[in-house]
Amino acid sequence: MLNTSNNNTGKVIVIHGGHFSSLGGFYEEASSVLMKNTDWKVGTLDGFNDILYGGFGIIEGKEEFEIIWKESEKSKEDLGYEATREFYENKIRQGKPFNIELIQQKLDELIEGKGQTLFEILVEIIESHTNITLRLE
């Protein structure tokens, strides 16, 4: 749901953690709120990052806006250690075109407690865009 309000940042985009419990579900949710009226859907972490740059979907460019991630604690759990481990293991099983050595390193870091979870990666992607304010609720 896109909510617009008259706050300092302009647009407010709401991602509902209650609408999904997997990375694929997150992509569907992000597509439904960010890519309305387009044929293009989010399907990768890079793709999610790309749409945040704007120019297609509801983001017009470098405009300032806020993303409110509701039920973010649920998402943090859903996209936590187990989901991230499975994500990396699936990529390793698939092999090419993935960089298996890099993915194995990321998996090893995760297992050692040093790596990022999918939730943390998504938050980092959002926060890397200086025109976006992220609010976890």
Side-chain angles (χ1 to χ4, degrees), residues 1 13-16 19-20 22-36 38 40-44 47-49 51-52 57-59 67 69 122 126:
M1 299 229 156
I13 295 164
V14 179
I15 295 173
H16 289 275
H19 292 176
F20 60 90
S22 66
L23 185 59
F26 172 83
Y27 291 152
E28 287 178 30
E29 174 75 359
S31 295
S32 73
V33 297
L34 295 169
M35 301 304 293
K36 285 183 179 180
T38 68
W40 199 80
K41 301 287 183 219
V42 178
T44 64
F48 176 62
N49 188 37
I51 65 166
L52 295 179
I58 65 163
I59 303 169
I67 293 177
W69 191 330
L122 290 167
I126 296 167

Side-chain angles (χ1 to χ4, degrees), residues 78-131:
D78 291 340
L79 302 173
Y81 176 85
E82 287 301 320
T84 307
R85 195 191 81 228
E86 287 178 26
F87 173 77
Y88 289 138
E89 288 173 349
N90 286 337
K91 287 192 176 305
I92 290 168
R93 264 196 301 281
Q94 289 174 10
K96 289 186 177 188
F98 301 111
N99 179 339
I100 303 307
E101 287 179 20
L102 176 63
I103 293 168
Q104 185 64 56
Q105 178 185 344
K106 289 182 177 289
L107 177 59
D108 292 344
E109 288 170 359
L110 180 75
I111 291 169
E112 292 166 13
K114 299 181 215 160
Q116 288 181 301
T117 65
L118 289 168
F119 179 80
E120 292 165 335
I121 292 167
L122 290 167
V123 166
E124 181 178 84
I125 288 170
I126 296 167
E127 290 179 338
S128 73
H129 294 266
T130 55
N131 58 311

Side-chain angles (χ1 to χ4, degrees), residues 1 3 5 7 12-17 29 65-72 132-137:
M1 299 229 156
N3 298 322
S5 62
N7 68 6
V12 175
I13 295 164
V14 179
I15 295 173
H16 289 275
E29 174 75 359
F65 64 96
E66 180 176 33
I67 293 177
I68 300 172
W69 191 330
K70 293 189 178 286
E71 297 184 53
S72 61
I132 302 173
T133 303
L134 174 63
R135 193 165 83 218
L136 301 176
E137 291 187 347

